[in-house]
Amino acid sequence: MSLLKLASGVTAAVLKKGSTTQLVVSRASSHFVYSPDAKAPVEGPTQKMNMFQAINNAMDIAMERDESALVFGEDVAFGGVFRCSMGLQKKYGQDRVFNTPLCEQGIAGFAIGVANTGATAIAEMQFADYIFPAFDQIVNEAAKYRYRSGNLFDCGSLTFRAPCGAVGHGACYHSQSPEAYFAHTPGLKVVVPRGPNKAKGLLLACIKEKDPCIVFEPKTLYRAAVEEVPVAAFESPLGKADILRAGSDVTMIGWGTQIHVLKEVADMAKKQYGVNCEVIDLVSILPWDKDTVCSSAKKTGRVLIAHEAPLTNGFGAELAATIQEECFLHLEAPVARVTGWDTPFPHVFEPFYIPDKFRCLAGVKKLIDY
Amino acid sequence: MSLLRSASVLAGRLAGRNQLALKCLATRRTIHGEAQSSEPTSGPAKFPGAQAAFVAKPTLVLPEHVESVPIYRVMNADGVIEDASQDPGLSRETVQKMFRDMVLLNTMDKILYESQRQGRISFYMTNFGEEASHIGSAAALSPEDWVYGQYREAGVLVWRGFTISDFVNQCYGNREDEGKGRQMPVHYGSKKLNFVTISSPLGTQIPQAVGAAYAFKRQPNNQRVVITYFGEGAASEGDAHAAFNFAATLDCPVMLFCRNNGFAISTPSKEQYRGDGIAGRAAGYGIAALRFDGTDIFAVYNATKMAREYVLKNNKPIVMEAMQYRISHHSTSDDSTAYRPAEDLEIWNTTEHPISKLKAYMKQRGWFDEAAEEANVKAVRKQVLAQINQSEKIPKADWRETFQDVYHEMPQHLREQMKQMEEHIEQYKEHYPLKDFKN
């Protein structure tokens, strides 16, 4: 944990200030334009929510229906540095929604123990950048509990939530996307929502899932992403990708914030090159939806994968390797990866680091021209 | 006996020391809210981080001014109970079961150690010298209490009814092993005996035990506590710090039981820490502490009983430290003569051995029957040897168990990988030890 806690409230305050901070704002906001889901995931009454409200709503539902469910982590009691647990302690009491000491390995170990007894643990890592002290507990313990005990014990009722991804000014330790580290760990389920509906559905699915899950929540979407979210409980299936836009020429695969970049790229490619892009939100990093990805790749013959995390051994590498293995005879061009560079995530150079729409568009052009 | 160091005892000890020590005392006593500083300045400090008085001169709190946590013991090396009020008053049957279980563990250890030496099992870790801390603590727990161990607590399982077959089958990883042969030998676990499956990474179980204790505390009319065992080496891990602090701040009914046997593989405890062992850390976390002679089964029993009552009544943790000596090599992969002289073992292997102490006690009571004891050892030996022969012949589980239990349900990619391996084996079966595995 760092002492620099970038509450989204701070970002909002910065937005309103003078010309020096205005620079920061334009840099941060140029990266993507949020586009809501075309339709609600389930029927019924909806309410306008941003992503932190949808997450709050999901936890509220989970705690309401399961008396064993606990929400804990650093600073969750007053509502969380990103407001995700607002009002929950007041509603459910201090023994169900509480602050822990500032220690990620403790949070993870504690969560595993809670889950060993069958109770539901919803644990927050304040930033995905600070999940690494808990890496041992997550990788060696949580992921292997069921397997190593011959199914005598498990910690399936635990869910980790961790804010991830670029935020405009997060630099090395408030911007990381560590999904690939965890994708290499059998026994975990890892998902990344692209907006409020997905966040609510995935979180509820993870909480119910009988395996330990990690939800990486792109923090830049907490406030920026607003859409109509069904009021009722619903679950978004784990391991299932979403085709957000159908296309015939190029398959573009991403997750989290990058989905909104790719949707814009699809419009640009159509307008500038007359190219029809199919946009797939992978949603689930582990296990991932090979069928949806590969049938799209076979249809279009060209694939571009984009993620914020660095290139080398990023999750794009796994996708690319599988696509060439499964779709070899259908490919018209090498699988392209547009990602963060193989550097730490920089502060002032963020606009040159992220796989923005222009780098993705250039990637599409190369695929078409190949 | 008070669980917390009493300020008045501390005052008596320090009275003759220098001015600095008195200042230390004054500060410490004020922390406990029992006295004012000897040199108070104006009013109490208002810092949120600690409740303490201001002093006008800099005050070093030196570790040597803090009294060591004393080692509680009930019987001496001759098996004589030193203070009759501390006699736990256990029945002859209970004491005899304690003895038999220690001997069973000791005898089984010797044979399984040898069987590893003969290459029959891949690995083993013995419990020599620590038998009393296992059996004594287990006897003072409720069978419903959850146990999170490290790996050298097999005696807890013996007491709870894990059988010789259970132990040996796990070491062989055959299909009778409930763990399905996936972990190394001595990584035992039993759902029905409330013993959480052992894993190799050190210290990881400690914060888990704290979380489990928290969850149990929330259950209506909870009568269950959680105990977690760990060595003094593991207590250096970050997870131990995490666990102590979480247990204290979240008020968890957990017993943090350290087996301080003087060595972590080759590293002596003097290279492991500089403070007053592990019990000495408890006050820093705001946790009660209890240190006792781990070679004295009655001290272990009484301490555990007291600790359990304290934990359950107050919904608070306790740090327990059993002082003992690792007579064993660390494991079958270790030769401890490389880092400690063999003669150091002598005293721990004889007069200070937990089994000989209990034996001496039983002899005084006329509860020790030499012939019955010999017959018992013989019977255990025979049973373990027979079980080894049998376990060796029991096939291992279906090799497809490689792919099971990774998740609650097998995901598609694992089903595909299992199918790939099936096809591969079909073609290359002569190169795999299929006959040893159940079809």
Side-chain angles (χ1 to χ4, degrees):
Chain A
M1 235 316 293
S2 95
L3 295 172
L4 272 170
K5 291 170 185 170
L6 290 185
S8 49
V10 174
T11 317
V14 168
L15 295 181
K16 294 175 195 133
K17 287 193 179 168
S19 57
T20 35
T21 49
Q22 198 58 43
L23 260 178
V24 175
V25 172
S26 63
R27 189 182 64 191
S29 57
S30 65
H31 159 222
F32 72 97
V33 175
Y34 178 74
S35 62
D37 278 5
K39 69 186 221 356
V42 289
E43 301 290 315
T46 62
Q47 201 179 312
K48 195 167 251 190
M49 294 186 201
N50 65 24
M51 199 170 82
F52 85 64
Q53 290 163 334
I55 290 163
N56 181 275
N57 179 240
M59 290 198 283
D60 192 359
I61 290 169
M63 298 202 79
E64 181 84 54
R65 67 183 178 192
D66 174 6
E67 211 280 320
S68 82
L70 308 175
V71 167
F72 53 89
E74 295 156 11
D75 305 298
V76 304
F78 88 111
V81 298
F82 290 110
R83 310 286 183 266
C84 292
S85 51
M86 286 287 276
L88 296 179
Q89 189 182 60
K90 197 167 177 215
K91 190 164 176 190
Y92 297 104
Q94 291 179 0
D95 74 319
R96 296 188 61 196
V97 180
F98 52 91
N99 290 337
T100 65
L102 203 164
C103 180
E104 285 74 15
Q105 64 197 99
I107 294 169
F110 185 90
I112 292 168
V114 168
N116 287 157
T117 70
T120 298
I122 307 166
E124 179 178 299
M125 298 285 159
Q126 201 158 65
F127 285 84
D129 310 63
Y130 308 123
I131 202 168
F132 301 113
F135 202 66
D136 185 42
Q137 283 286 357
I138 297 173
V139 170
N140 273 332
E141 295 291 317
K144 297 171 176 60
Y145 235 101
R146 189 188 298 279
Y147 188 77
R148 74 183 185 206
S149 70
N151 204 18
L152 292 180
F153 295 92
D154 68 80
C155 59
S157 56
L158 80 74
T159 301
F160 293 114
R161 295 178 39 245
C164 74
V167 70
H169 50 272
C172 301
Y173 307 109
H174 298 83
S175 309
Q176 292 182 58
S177 296
E179 64 272 8
Y181 292 103
F182 296 95
H184 196 57
T185 305
L188 298 178
K189 294 197 169 172
V190 181
V191 296
V192 187
R194 64 173 176 272
N197 271 310
K198 214 65 193 170
K200 178 175 177 178
L202 285 174
L203 185 51
L204 283 172
C206 285
I207 291 168
K208 198 183 240 187
E209 183 67 25
K210 291 174 176 167
D211 295 305
C213 296
I214 307 177
V215 187
F216 286 116
E217 302 166 353
K219 66 179 88 65
T220 196
L221 300 178
Y222 278 137
R223 282 166 184 271
V226 181
E227 66 193 4
E228 290 293 329
V229 177
V231 175
F234 65 93
E235 280 153 35
S236 188
L238 306 180
K240 183 83 188 65
D242 292 335
I243 299 174
L244 298 179
R245 191 167 300 193
S248 50
D249 302 326
V250 173
T251 298
M252 297 200 296
I253 308 163
W255 50 91
T257 316
Q258 195 63 25
I259 282 306
H260 305 293
V261 175
L262 293 181
K263 280 163 108 179
E264 214 181 331
V265 172
D267 292 340
M268 292 161 81
K270 175 74 186 165
K271 203 171 157 193
Q272 295 183 30
Y273 311 125
V275 170
N276 289 315
C277 291
E278 181 147 300
V279 179
I280 297 179
D281 179 358
L282 193 66
V283 181
S284 230
I285 307 297
L286 183 69
W288 64 281
D289 186 351
K290 191 167 83 174
D291 291 347
T292 299
V293 165
C294 291
S295 37
S296 175
K298 284 177 187 168
K299 180 177 75 177
T300 63
R302 292 178 173 85
V303 181
L304 180 139
I305 302 156
H307 56 67
E308 288 179 13
L311 175 78
T312 301
N313 265 321
F315 197 66
E318 178 61 32
L319 296 175
T322 305
I323 290 165
Q324 71 82 20
E325 194 176 356
E326 299 280 329
C327 316
F328 188 67
L329 295 176
H330 299 79
L331 292 177
E332 304 289 346
V335 175
R337 288 180 287 157
V338 182
T339 70
W341 305 117
D342 285 343
T343 70
F345 198 110
H347 187 213
V348 301
F349 308 119
E350 179 170 319
F352 304 96
Y353 173 88
I354 50 171
D356 67 3
K357 59 189 173 191
F358 303 108
R359 282 179 58 206
C360 291
L361 183 66
V364 171
K365 180 81 167 48
K366 266 174 121 177
L367 278 173
I368 294 299
D369 294 346
Y370 187 80
Chain B
M1 174 186 143
S2 163
L3 295 173
L4 292 165
R5 285 193 297 280
S6 115
S8 59
V9 171
L10 201 57
R13 296 287 172 99
L14 294 177
R17 294 197 187 172
N18 62 28
Q19 192 60 28
L20 188 58
L22 282 170
K23 280 182 196 166
C24 301
L25 170 66
T27 311
R28 290 186 63 79
R29 289 181 65 187
T30 312
I31 290 169
H32 294 284
E34 292 172 14
Q36 291 303 308
S37 163
S38 56
E39 297 170 34
T41 60
S42 57
K46 295 186 180 71
F47 303 109
Q51 291 177 352
F54 285 114
V55 291
K57 284 181 182 153
T59 306
L60 277 181
V61 179
L62 296 173
E64 50 268 40
H65 296 151
V66 179
E67 197 190 14
S68 298
V69 178
I71 304 167
Y72 167 65
R73 93 172 174 181
V74 172
M75 63 181 166
N76 65 20
D78 300 324
V80 176
I81 291 188
E82 295 175 311
D83 174 346
S85 74
Q86 295 305 306
D87 188 335
L90 297 170
S91 69
R92 177 178 179 153
E93 288 68 37
T94 304
V95 173
Q96 282 175 334
K97 172 168 163 57
M98 285 175 152
F99 188 79
R100 271 200 315 273
D101 281 1
M102 285 204 286
V103 168
L104 185 153
L105 177 61
N106 187 274
T107 309
M108 181 175 71
D109 273 355
K110 285 172 182 159
I111 300 171
L112 285 173
Y113 182 83
E114 282 311 315
S115 80
Q116 193 282 333
R117 284 302 186 230
Q118 295 165 14
R120 298 171 80 170
I121 57 174
S122 62
F123 178 79
Y124 196 69
M125 299 176 107
T126 61
N127 302 276
F128 302 142
E130 304 189 37
E131 295 90 343
S133 68
H134 306 179
I135 306 290
S137 58
L141 296 169
S142 152
E144 296 300 306
D145 295 341
W146 268 32
V147 178
Y148 284 80
Q150 178 166 300
Y151 50 62
R152 213 184 297 282
E153 295 91 9
V156 176
L157 280 164
V158 172
W159 179 266
R160 289 193 170 192
F162 209 64
T163 64
I164 287 172
S165 318
D166 294 332
F167 283 114
V168 178
N169 285 328
Q170 195 283 331
C171 289
Y172 276 90
N174 63 32
R175 72 172 189 223
E176 301 294 322
D177 168 24
E178 281 198 297
K180 303 185 183 174
R182 294 189 183 124
Q183 288 209 90
M184 283 174 80
V186 315
H187 289 54
Y188 310 116
S190 173
K191 185 79 175 171
K192 76 171 189 277
L193 300 177
N194 296 310
F195 191 99
V196 180
T197 302
I198 299 293
S199 73
S200 309
L202 287 180
T204 49
Q205 81 282 10
I206 317 175
Q208 294 168 12
V210 174
Y214 188 93
F216 287 139
K217 178 181 80 167
R218 291 194 65 248
Q219 295 179 355
N221 309 315
N222 177 47
Q223 288 304 308
R224 176 149 51 184
V225 303
V226 177
I227 188 167
T228 176
Y229 295 89
F230 50 94
E232 87 288 351
S236 295
E237 291 283 1
D239 276 329
H241 161 66
F244 282 31
N245 203 25
F246 277 54
T249 57
L250 299 171
D251 296 321
C252 299
V254 63
M255 302 161 76
L256 304 157
F257 190 114
C258 178
R259 296 176 293 96
N260 190 335
N261 62 19
F263 292 91
I265 306 187
S266 73
T267 306
S269 50
K270 67 172 187 288
E271 292 170 23
Q272 199 65 246
Y273 52 75
R274 280 295 153 90
D276 176 29
I278 310 306
R281 295 177 195 170
Y285 290 99
I287 307 182
L290 193 46
R291 174 182 274 161
F292 44 93
D293 181 349
T295 68
D296 170 355
I297 196 163
F298 296 140
V300 177
Y301 176 84
N302 284 349
T304 307
K305 201 157 171 265
M306 181 187 200
R308 187 179 185 280
E309 279 163 17
Y310 169 83
V311 158
L312 198 56
K313 187 171 164 225
N314 300 289
N315 274 331
K316 282 187 172 168
I318 191 167
V319 173
M320 306 167 69
E321 187 176 23
M323 306 307 296
Q324 47 200 5
Y325 189 90
R326 194 197 76 211
I327 296 169
S328 315
H329 297 299
H330 164 68
S331 73
T332 47
S333 310
D334 171 53
D335 174 10
S336 65
T337 60
Y339 51 83
R340 64 182 185 191
E343 51 269 28
D344 278 11
L345 287 178
E346 191 48 32
I347 185 150
W348 298 102
N349 231 339
T350 54
T351 50
E352 294 293 342
H353 196 285
I355 294 179
S356 31
K357 282 182 190 175
L358 187 59
K359 187 178 185 173
Y361 169 86
M362 290 168 75
K363 277 183 172 167
Q364 291 163 45
R365 295 275 168 129
W367 291 356
F368 188 77
D369 179 337
E370 196 81 48
E373 174 50 23
E374 268 173 39
N376 177 41
V377 173
K378 240 183 189 166
V380 171
R381 279 188 64 84
K382 204 171 150 192
Q383 212 184 330
V384 177
L385 287 167
Q387 189 60 52
I388 285 177
N389 286 328
Q390 199 184 326
S391 293
E392 235 165 22
K393 293 190 194 91
I394 298 172
K396 292 167 179 54
D398 188 322
W399 65 265
R400 290 170 192 82
E401 284 290 346
T402 308
F403 299 89
Q404 299 286 350
D405 302 328
V406 178
Y407 294 93
H408 178 251
E409 279 172 41
M410 197 186 291
Q412 187 195 332
H413 70 285
L414 275 181
R415 287 201 301 273
E416 287 169 8
Q417 289 173 26
M418 188 168 82
K419 189 161 167 280
Q420 278 175 29
M421 192 59 191
E422 278 170 344
E423 287 164 5
H424 172 77
I425 283 197
E426 193 44 43
Q427 219 173 342
Y428 292 86
K429 50 171 105 46
E430 66 274 25
H431 302 294
Y432 293 88
L434 290 174
K435 65 176 176 37
D436 301 337
F437 292 79
K438 187 188 160 223
N439 262 318

